[in-house]
Amino acid sequence: MLSEALLVSAPGKVILHGEHAVVHGKVALAVALNLRTFLRLQPHSNGKVGLNLPNTGIKRVWDVARLQLLDTSFLEPGDVTTPTPEQVEKLKEVVDLPEDSANHKGLAVLAFLYLYLSICRKQRALPSLDITVWSELPTGAGLGSSAAYSVCLAAALLTACEEIPNPLRGGESTSRWATEDLELINKWAFQGERVIHGNPSGVDNAVSTWGGALRYQQGKISPLKRPPALQILLTNTRVPRSTKALVAVVRSRLLKFPEIVAPLLTSIDAISLECERVLGEMAAAPAPEHYLVLEELIDMNQHHLSALGVGHASLDQLCRVTMAHGLHSKLTGAGGGGCGITLLRPDLELPDVEATKQALTSCGFDCWETSIGASGVSVHLDTSLDTPVQQALGGL
Ligand code: MEV
């Protein structure tokens, strides 16, 4: 067990194309976002394990000796294990969670305990430590906040337990793990996501782990080589929604109308592939026509997603408002509210972008202009970060 503190961070994501279809084996194109989640792990020897999530007001402490006595044999020692719904229920029972563990706060605690007990059980004794996690990402908005949380937890616990080395060398302020270590982080983070979301595709944790831009299909990850630096407006409609419930909406529509819904999923797959092709061309020689194709793909996919049942009046409003400024938008992530992305063509003048942002803000939406393709999970020198969220929380 390492004795020094660790500071890690992982990015959120936006899905350019392929959300929902990816759950049914189709291609998704996802990119890491310049908004991150941070985790500090402090080992100690006071016989306690603490979880502190200041963004959501969660502060929990457990006696390590008590956790040590729990019968967690159902977690199966050894390799990365997939939490079954029965195991998750059993875990709720044995750790005696008082709050409603079906809400996102309870699920965050449960995912932590699952990863802590599973990853640390190879140690002779469960370690005493404090974990604090804070984020620049809004929760429940489809930006992969839960995946960034699971990725940070997996990276920090695996490093603290010396299952993977700390890649930070003397003199460096930030570093990343080797490929095989990232693979292990990603596998464990996927299990954390399963505790939180039931049956996610794995795309969110993959992009948070690897960063950049990637194509994802049935667990197979291929980074996009030299993706163009696209600028987008990211808009949070602030309409809360549940990824789990929306994934279930699509599943039941597919079961009810297979002849109608399966072709929609196939068409979304074709949109992702066409987008990948265009991005490849743009990397070689960007031209204004490429942006026009990307805009058409955005419009078609937004209509498909509405037909799948994951649209929302707030998203329709977002598309109308941006269209009035000549810009094209689609939902990103699970839909049903949450976030949308708007492509910003390079020919746009600053006043046009500002006017669009202003119009969206006056609808009650939060709006950020951002670039995509941030780096994946990283470890930082503990004193090297001074993020806006950290400042707002009083320099944790
Ligand atoms: C959520 O960000 C993306 C979905 O496709 C669900 C998933 O892939 O697990 C809606």
Side-chain angles (χ1 to χ4, degrees), residues 109-194:
V109 173
L110 207 58
F112 164 71
L113 284 169
Y114 182 84
L115 292 176
Y116 169 78
L117 291 169
S118 306
I119 292 173
C120 302
R121 66 204 310 255
K122 279 196 194 158
Q123 304 281 304
R124 239 178 309 128
L126 287 173
S128 293
L129 45 88
D130 265 326
I131 284 192
T132 303
V133 187
W134 66 102
S135 188
E136 298 167 341
L137 291 159
T139 47
L143 300 181
S145 60
S146 69
Y149 171 73
S150 295
V151 169
C152 282
L153 281 175
L157 290 168
L158 286 165
T159 308
C161 291
E162 298 182 87
E163 295 282 322
I164 55 177
N166 182 347
L168 204 60
R169 300 276 157 265
E172 286 177 334
S173 61
T174 293
S175 186
R176 305 222 332 110
W177 284 267
T179 303
E180 66 271 22
D181 301 330
L182 289 172
E183 272 160 11
L184 192 61
I185 292 170
N186 188 41
K187 277 186 191 158
W188 276 111
F190 189 31
Q191 309 318 322
E193 275 283 89
R194 281 183 156 144

Side-chain angles (χ1 to χ4, degrees), residues 74-76 79-88 114 118 187-188 190-192 194-195 198-200:
F74 62 92
L75 291 177
E76 292 178 39
D79 284 340
V80 180
T81 52
T82 302
T84 61
E86 295 72 37
Q87 280 179 327
V88 174
Y114 182 84
S118 306
K187 277 186 191 158
W188 276 111
F190 189 31
Q191 309 318 322
R194 281 183 156 144
V195 172
N199 191 23

Side-chain angles (χ1 to χ4, degrees), residues 39 44 77 82 111 194 199 202 216 228 245 251-252 280 301 319 361 370:
L39 179 152
H44 50 62
T82 302
R194 281 183 156 144
N199 191 23
Y216 181 93
R251 190 174 299 282
S252 70
N301 198 359
C319 292
T361 311
T370 183

